[in-house]
Amino acid sequence: MIKTLVQLSDPHIKLPGARAYGRVDTARFLRQAVQAVRRLQQAPTAVVVTGDLTDFGRPDEYAHLRELLQPIDCPLYLMPGNHDDREALRDSFPAHGYLRHGSPFIQYAIDLGGLRLVAVDTVVPRESHGEVCAARVDQLAQLLAQDTVTPTVIAMHHPPFRTMIGHMDEIGLRDPGGALAALVARHPQVRRVICGHLHRAIYAPWAGTLAMTAPSTAHQVTLDLAPDAPSAFSMEPPGFLVHAWSDTGELVSHVASVGPFEGPFPFHEDDGQLID
Ligand SMILES: [Fe+2]
Ligand SMILES: [Fe+2]
């Protein structure tokens, strides 16, 4: 049986009616993404949202987020990004007990049935870059040691690899002494590291596994690899990731677009002849 973990990322929810950067109606985009998740051919086993849940970490923004995520009818897991506030997030989602397991950080492990989701908190309050300090690495070591057999996905907001988008790498992840990379490399059950922050889909091998970032449900970081590329976003089609696994431990990650788009159509002409 195939199960799926849907990864939404970087919705950047603001107060109702407000637009990010004066331009992006992030709430409308998240509503569309949630509808796209509900229309998936396979209902997800769980949904994780990999940070930058709100734009400014305000309690009323989290209240708006709660309303927008309401139609998701499977287990939902949240984690903070650099635009979030841990306490406002915890206070706004009191039913999400896992948000308090790793106090002061939001780190937790969830058994999804054949796949473990392990969240790592990379947030440095009031800073844009991310960091995994010794305390967080130690706690992750404990979470990983609890089950070294079940295929595991580590989720964290800041990706651990250099993306070559210069202005984003400047606010990337700091891993003092490479402790996080060394820890993950010692745990072959880690099959993916799934991240946000980059607002586009990027993949790279890292620490003996595959790390990737998800598109934003709203605006995307402009694809410009020039060393002096300006910090900019583009309204490319938004999307999300679908991580699918089977009983035998396979794990594949798909990129899904949020519409509108036409289809599905059958792969045959009117005379019934297959063309693909
Ligand atoms: Fe973001
Ligand atoms: Fe971010």
Side-chain angles (χ1 to χ4, degrees):
M1 183 186 153
I2 306 284
K3 295 180 180 175
T4 59
L5 170 65
V6 164
Q7 181 190 0
L8 303 176
S9 202
D10 293 80
H12 285 257
I13 295 306
K14 300 176 74 73
L15 299 184
R19 289 174 176 243
Y21 314 103
R23 187 178 292 272
V24 187
D25 185 352
T26 55
R28 184 174 64 90
F29 279 111
L30 181 56
R31 218 173 268 122
Q32 289 173 348
V34 166
Q35 287 310 314
V37 171
R38 288 178 58 90
R39 282 196 303 268
L40 286 168
Q41 305 283 346
Q42 285 74 39
T45 305
V47 171
V48 62
V49 193
T50 44
D52 286 357
L53 308 172
T54 61
D55 211 26
F56 290 114
R58 294 172 47 163
D60 37 12
E61 292 178 336
Y62 287 108
H64 192 199
L65 174 73
R66 209 170 49 225
E67 178 193 322
L68 292 163
L69 292 175
Q70 191 66 42
I72 290 179
D73 52 9
C74 66
L76 169 69
Y77 299 102
L78 304 172
M79 47 191 302
N82 51 295
H83 282 255
D84 290 302
D85 179 278
R86 290 190 191 107
E87 278 317 299
L89 169 59
R90 286 168 165 145
D91 290 348
S92 302
F93 288 86
H96 290 228
Y98 63 88
L99 290 172
R100 296 189 182 276
H101 288 174
S103 197
F105 304 111
I106 296 179
Q107 304 205 124
Y108 53 86
I110 306 288
D111 182 356
L112 298 176
L115 189 78
R116 272 185 110 212
L117 170 66
V118 176
V120 174
D121 184 335
T122 57
V123 173
V124 183
R126 291 172 296 283
E127 298 284 349
S128 297
H129 74 272
E131 187 177 319
V132 276
C133 56
R136 281 176 265 196
V137 173
D138 286 351
Q139 196 195 7
L140 174 61
Q142 290 172 26
L143 292 173
L144 291 176
Q146 287 167 2
D147 181 347
T148 58
V149 176
T150 304
T152 298
V153 168
I154 290 178
M156 56 192 200
H157 181 66
H158 296 79
F161 58 88
R162 189 168 86 93
T163 65
M164 301 188 194
I165 297 178
H167 63 90
M168 293 304 292
D169 288 335
E170 278 173 28
I171 56 167
L173 184 71
R174 298 181 191 169
D175 176 18
L180 176 68
L183 173 64
V184 171
R186 287 198 300 274
H187 284 276
Q189 81 269 26
V190 177
R191 303 287 167 78
R192 286 289 187 288
V193 178
I194 63 172
C195 311
H197 192 53
L198 261 294
H199 291 231
R200 61 185 310 111
I202 310 172
Y203 318 83
W206 176 79
T209 186
L210 177 64
M212 58 176 58
T213 61
S216 168
T217 54
H219 48 296
Q220 312 303 309
V221 169
T222 301
L223 177 56
D224 186 344
L225 306 182
D228 58 349
S231 172
F233 66 90
S234 300
M235 300 315 296
E236 294 171 55
F240 55 89
L241 300 184
V242 178
H243 307 285
W245 72 98
S246 72
D247 300 337
T248 57
E250 305 160 272
L251 176 67
V252 294
S253 298
H254 295 258
V255 184
S257 295
V258 177
F261 52 79
E262 294 180 82
F265 302 112
F267 273 122
H268 57 72
E269 308 270 21
D270 287 346
D271 63 0
Q273 191 186 350
L274 285 174
I275 56 171
D276 190 72

